[in-house]
Structures are given as C-alpha cells and as structure tokens.
Amino acid sequence: MLSHYFGTDLYDQFENLDKHTQWGIDFLERYSKFVKERLEIEQTYAKQLRNLVKKYCPKRSKDDEPRFSSCVSFYSILNELNDYAGQREVVAEEMGHKVYGELMRYSQDLKSERKQHLQEGRKAQQYLDQCWKQMDNSKKKFERECKEAEKSQISYDRLDNDINATKSEVEKAKSQLYLRTHSADESKNEYAAQLQNFNGEQWKHFNVAIPQIFKNLQDMDERRTVKLGETYRSFADVERRVVPIISKCLEGMVTAAKAVDQRKDSAIVVESFKSGFEPPGDYPFEDYSQNLSRTGSDNTISTPKNEGGVKPDPKHSISKTAKNKLWLFGKKPKAPSLEDFSHLPPEQRRKRLQARIDELSKELQKEVDQRYSWLSEVEGKVGTRGDRRPSADVNHHAPHGRESPEGSYTDVPNQEHRSPPHQPDPRQAHQPDEFDDEFDDDDPLPVIGHCKALYSFNGTNEGTLLMKENEVLYIIEEDKGDGWTRARKQSGEEGYVPTSYVEIAMEKNSKGAVTYI
C-alpha cells in the first residue's frame, strides 16, 4: 500500500484535519459510552440488547456510511451482537475495567495532545502573518519614498532649468533630492530584505513547520485508531472467556478488530480532503525606483536590474486573492452546489464527477435492461401466432450489420423436429431464365423483413437458394401466390425458398414494427 502523509498531502487542509481529529475523539467517546451502556444492558433480556444495537447502528444510507476501518469494525461488532440467541449475564466488572475505563483515560490524553498540536499550528500561522505584515509595510514605505523622490527630482529639474531661480534655491532642491533618493534607496534595501525573509519563512512554514505539526496529528490519529482496534479485541476476549456458547459471534468481533488498519484510515483521510493544489511559490521583487535619475553620490545603492530587461510578471504581484491563499487557518467560504462540481478542488472534483458518471451508467443500464425485458415479453406473445409457425418459440437473429428496431431475438434450442411440407414446383411459377434475369439487376432489392428456416432446403433447382434449418435470411420479395419467397443470405447470395419452409417476420412500416406471417 502506498504511504500517505498528512504533512505533505494535506499541507493546506488544517481546517479539515482539525475537524477530523475532533471527530476521532468524539467517536472514541461515543464508543466508550456504548461500552458503558452495554454493561448495564448485559444484565437484562435479549430484547434490550437488540435495542442497544439498533440505537447505535448507522442511520445513514449505505453510500454515506463512514469508510474508516475502525468505523466498519465497530458496526460489524454491532451486527454480531444482534445475532446473540439468548440472554445471559456478563461479568460487567472485568469488561468495565479493561475496556470502558481504558477508553475514558485514553480519551483525556488525546484531548490534551490534540490541543497542543493545534496551538502549535496556529502559532506558526501567526508568525507567518507577522512576517507578511512586516514585508507589506516595508513595501508600502518603499513605494512612498520612491514617489517623494520622484517629486524632488521634478522640482530640482524645474529649478535647474529656470534662469530666474537663485543658486540657493537650486542647491536646496538638489539637497532635498539627495535626501529623498537616499531615503528611497534605504527603503528599497529594507523591502528587499523583508521580502527575502518572508519568502524564506513561508518556505519553512509549508515545508518544515506545517508538515511536522501535521505528522504529529497523524501519529495521534493513528494511535487512536490502533487503540480502538485493541479495545474491540478486549471487548471480544472478555465475552469469549465468559460465554463459550457465543464464541462464534465473538470470533467475528475479533475478525472485525483485526480489520482495523490505521494506514488505510489515513489514506482515506488523504483521499477525502486532498485538494490537488500546488504550494504557493516565492513572490518576485517589485522595483519602484526605475524612473529615478541618480545625482552624484557615492553612498547610493544601485538598483539591481532584471535580467534581459524583463518586467516583473503582474501575475506574481501580491494581491488580495493571493494573500488569501496563504492562510490555512481561516474559515473558507461555503462553496455553492454546482452540477459540474467546479467549486471543489481538482482532486475532490475528479472523484465527485467519477461517482456521478458511475451513477448515470447504472441508471442507463437499468433502462436498457427494462427495454429488452419489454421486448422479450412482446416477442413471446407474438410468437404464439401464425398458421405456419411451429409450436415452440422461434428465434430471429438479426443478420450481422442489421438489427431490428424491436431488439434481438432469443432462440429456443429444443425445437421439435418435423418433416418438411411439400415443396412447390418452381417451374409452375418461375422459369430458370426468369430467375436469372431477376438477379441481374445492378442495385440489390431492399430488405423488407426476415425469415428463419424451419427445415433444410437443398436448392438444387436453378434460381433457388440453399438454406439450413434455423438459418436466418433477409426477405427481399414476398410470396406472390406461387409458394416461393425471394430471400438473401448474409453473404449476399440471393434466391427463392419455399414459403412453407420458413417463418417470416415482415417490417410493417418505417418505424420498424414487425409483423409475423
């Protein structure tokens, strides 16, 4: 089985892991409560025991039942309890000590451990938020300083080109420009440092801190699952030592306990909550000082240029939408219910769509089966009519490449063999040259029905067609009163066959309705 890890596969599912771990503790306490009530009911009649099983059986549909092995094992235990044949008393003290007491103590330990891991996760997110705010403030400061430097640049250029401006005014504007430019450079360096620090902290957050916290949650959840399996076994062992008569039912409980698989449960959690999104990448440096012209100063720090003169990609600019994707601990908006599940993450959407496809396929297959059931019923009723029809039902197989609109036919293998009736004389209706002339047409005649050979016919006369018993042929010309019907084999060979040797099904109209003759 492939390994599944909360830290790498569910890095962006903190909210769902919070709910899942809480659900795990609630389930453990629910099972503890079940054991306690079981201790009380064991001293009463079988009816009370069955009522308890009924109370704790899942009230959801089969498709909505939990898939976790611990849940399945628990419900298997309930089913075994329902099979108990009689009433007897149990040593409640031993079961209460080994199962109920252990579960209650373990539940308190789980609550404390879960609280600690979640606090660590929230602290990590708060620290990342703080780094973000520092970087964002330095960015805004850099932007303001650049704008002020641009204003000073414009003022200096205006005074420098003004012949009426005094030297002191020009020197003052130059000094102001120097101060603003120097301040912009310092803001730029600070912004670059804060951005680098944020990107580094973000990488450590999603690749070190969160994976470790989630791994601790996974270990805790798996230990909870193992503990449930152990208590299921203890639950069964106590009963087996006390009541040998119901050992078979208890063995079923042991089997259910053995079916508990913490890795499988973790895989189900991953498959249920995995979004399929990639972690966010680093944010690019946004330079606002490119429009500034430099005055002579040895202390100014040059602005690093983008390689190749490429401008920053606006898609990577820090926006409100991108910012929102960073937070794993905030509440997500409730997604609308769409038919195409486009509101879900890619992995969950694929599963929901596949489930919908399977559901529609089952419905389609049900409709197809119902259609053929109706057709078979209709064909069975029609098969009882006809003067030349044998007593057994006759199967009309649609030739290859052509199927009757009413559906396929079912043959009856045990058809009673009968002697063929008298064959009509082909010389009374058609001369050999007439047969040959009719088959010389370039365009084949259209198919107007089907027939099935009731008897074999050797077709020795010229213009007649050899056929075997039960062979299905196309009808291309009806009997004109001479006792012969023109037919065509699936191979394309045409000829006349005795009408009394075949059972004919004619197509009544363009819709493909069949009339048996």
Side-chain angles (χ1 to χ4, degrees):
M1 181 182 295
L2 295 176
S3 298
H4 297 272
Y5 302 100
F6 290 2
T8 55
D9 296 323
L10 300 178
Y11 76 94
D12 57 347
Q13 297 296 317
F14 186 89
E15 194 72 19
N16 285 325
L17 286 179
D18 185 358
K19 295 178 181 178
H20 171 71
T21 52
Q22 181 60 49
W23 170 88
I25 295 177
D26 292 341
F27 181 81
L28 186 142
E29 291 181 343
R30 185 167 184 257
Y31 175 65
S32 302
K33 184 179 178 182
F34 160 77
V35 175
K36 181 180 179 181
E37 294 188 17
R38 165 79 188 279
L39 297 178
E40 299 171 355
I41 294 177
E42 281 293 341
Q43 299 175 356
T44 61
Y45 299 98
K47 180 179 179 181
Q48 293 172 307
L49 185 59
R50 292 191 180 96
N51 289 338
L52 177 66
V53 173
K54 183 178 180 181
K55 176 180 179 181
Y56 281 90
C57 278
K59 298 178 175 58
R60 295 177 291 269
S61 63
K62 186 176 182 181
D63 295 336
D64 295 332
E65 290 183 8
R67 296 172 294 161
F68 296 101
S69 59
S70 56
C71 299
V72 176
S73 298
F74 174 60
Y75 295 137
S76 298
I77 292 175
L78 291 178
N79 292 332
E80 295 292 344
L81 288 175
N82 197 43
D83 295 336
Y84 274 37
Q87 173 66 38
R88 50 115 189 113
E89 289 188 350
V90 178
V91 181
E93 181 180 356
E94 182 180 0
M95 183 174 288
H97 173 71
K98 291 186 176 180
V99 182
Y100 178 73
E102 180 66 20
L103 285 174
M104 293 304 297
R105 289 189 295 269
Y106 193 75
S107 175
Q108 296 300 321
D109 295 338
L110 282 181
K111 289 179 180 179
S112 300
E113 184 179 356
R114 173 179 175 273
K115 182 179 180 180
Q116 178 183 354
H117 294 324
L118 294 181
Q119 286 178 347
E120 292 175 355
R122 293 188 175 92
K123 287 181 180 179
Q125 182 60 47
Q126 290 173 358
Y127 178 73
L128 185 63
D129 292 347
Q130 183 180 358
C131 293
W132 164 265
K133 290 179 181 179
Q134 293 176 354
M135 185 272 294
D136 189 55
N137 291 337
S138 64
K139 173 186 172 183
K140 293 177 180 178
K141 180 180 178 182
F142 176 40
E143 183 179 7
R144 290 194 305 270
E145 293 295 340
C146 287
K147 290 181 180 179
E148 293 295 331
E150 288 176 1
K151 292 179 181 179
S152 298
Q153 178 73 51
I154 295 172
S155 177
Y156 170 76
D157 293 339
R158 180 176 56 79
L159 291 174
D160 190 45
N161 295 326
D162 187 3
I163 59 177
N164 296 323
T166 63
K167 184 177 180 179
S168 62
E169 291 177 343
V170 175
E171 289 297 326
K172 184 179 180 181
K174 184 178 180 179
S175 176
Q176 185 70 19
L177 174 60
Y178 172 79
L179 292 176
R180 291 297 184 185
T181 304
H182 183 70
S183 179
D185 290 336
E186 289 180 347
S187 299
K188 175 183 177 180
N189 293 336
E190 182 183 358
Y191 169 49
Q194 291 294 340
L195 178 62
Q196 183 179 5
N197 177 69
F198 172 76
N199 287 334
E201 293 299 329
Q202 180 181 246
W203 185 91
K204 288 191 294 184
H205 179 82
F206 288 108
N207 293 275
V208 179
I210 288 299
Q212 182 61 42
I213 294 171
F214 284 7
K215 180 180 182 298
N216 294 336
L217 287 173
Q218 181 177 0
D219 294 340
M220 181 197 72
D221 190 65
E222 290 179 354
R223 281 187 278 107
R224 176 193 61 83
T225 304
V226 171
K227 175 60 68 174
L228 281 171
E230 293 174 353
T231 54
Y232 294 161
R233 181 183 295 273
S234 299
F235 177 89
D237 289 340
V238 169
E239 285 290 285
R240 184 163 49 189
R241 290 193 298 267
V242 175
V243 186
I245 299 176
I246 58 173
S247 60
K248 186 175 181 179
C249 292
L250 292 175
E251 289 174 1
M253 296 180 187
V254 173
T255 302
K258 290 180 179 179
V260 176
D261 186 348
Q262 68 273 20
R263 292 293 180 180
K264 181 179 178 182
D265 286 6
S266 297
I268 293 174
V269 176
V270 171
E271 293 300 323
S272 299
F273 303 137
K274 186 176 181 181
S275 66
F277 291 118
E278 295 293 334
D282 291 344
Y283 287 94
F285 177 79
E286 298 178 25
D287 192 355
Y288 297 98
S289 63
Q290 293 181 349
N291 296 329
L292 297 179
S293 62
R294 302 294 178 186
T295 58
S297 174
D298 295 334
N299 296 328
T300 59
I301 301 175
S302 60
T303 302
K305 298 181 180 180
N306 293 329
E307 296 182 2
V310 180
K311 295 182 179 180
D313 189 352
K315 295 180 180 178
H316 293 89
S317 62
I318 302 176
S319 63
K320 183 176 180 181
T321 302
K323 179 180 177 182
N324 290 338
K325 290 183 178 179
L326 296 174
W327 320 138
L328 304 181
F329 302 90
K331 292 185 178 179
K332 297 183 178 179
K334 186 176 181 181
S337 178
L338 302 177
E339 186 67 23
D340 59 354
F341 305 108
S342 59
H343 61 288
L344 297 177
E347 189 72 15
Q348 303 302 322
R349 184 185 183 193
R350 178 186 66 79
K351 295 177 183 178
R352 295 292 294 275
L353 288 174
Q354 185 60 49
R356 182 59 177 163
I357 291 173
D358 296 341
E359 179 182 350
L360 294 175
S361 299
K362 291 180 181 179
E363 293 178 0
L364 177 60
Q365 186 61 41
K366 183 177 180 181
E367 293 294 334
V368 172
D369 294 342
Q370 184 65 34
R371 172 179 177 269
Y372 282 112
S373 175
W374 291 340
L375 291 176
S376 300
E377 181 180 354
V378 172
E379 291 169 3
K381 293 180 180 179
V382 175
T384 59
R385 300 195 303 249
D387 296 334
R388 296 190 299 271
R389 176 165 302 186
S391 58
D393 292 339
V394 179
N395 180 4
H396 294 267
H397 289 286
H400 179 71
R402 174 181 174 89
E403 180 179 346
S404 170
E406 293 290 340
S408 58
Y409 302 93
T410 305
D411 201 0
V412 179
N414 298 326
Q415 187 177 16
E416 182 181 354
H417 180 74
R418 299 182 300 169
S419 299
H422 175 70
Q423 299 180 16
D425 188 353
R427 295 173 297 178
Q428 298 177 1
H430 299 278
Q431 294 301 325
D433 56 345
E434 292 178 356
F435 284 121
D436 295 339
D437 292 341
E438 292 184 24
F439 297 135
D440 288 340
D441 296 339
D442 293 335
D443 297 332
L445 294 176
V447 176
I448 61 175
H450 303 80
C451 70
K452 177 181 177 182
L454 302 177
Y455 317 99
S456 298
F457 179 63
N458 54 20
T460 55
N461 293 325
E462 187 174 5
T464 58
L465 184 64
L466 172 66
M467 67 178 181
K468 298 179 180 179
E469 185 178 354
N470 294 326
E471 183 176 2
V472 179
L473 309 172
Y474 296 109
I475 300 298
I476 57 178
E477 184 179 308
E478 296 185 72
D479 187 346
K480 298 181 179 179
D482 53 8
W484 294 91
T485 297
R486 189 172 177 180
R488 180 190 300 146
K489 291 189 173 183
Q490 297 184 18
S491 61
E493 184 181 358
E494 299 181 0
Y496 285 91
V497 296
T499 304
S500 58
Y501 274 50
V502 297
E503 181 181 20
I504 300 173
M506 303 298 294
E507 295 188 0
K508 185 185 257 186
N509 49 42
S510 59
K511 294 183 179 179
V514 178
T515 301
Y516 289 93
I517 301 177

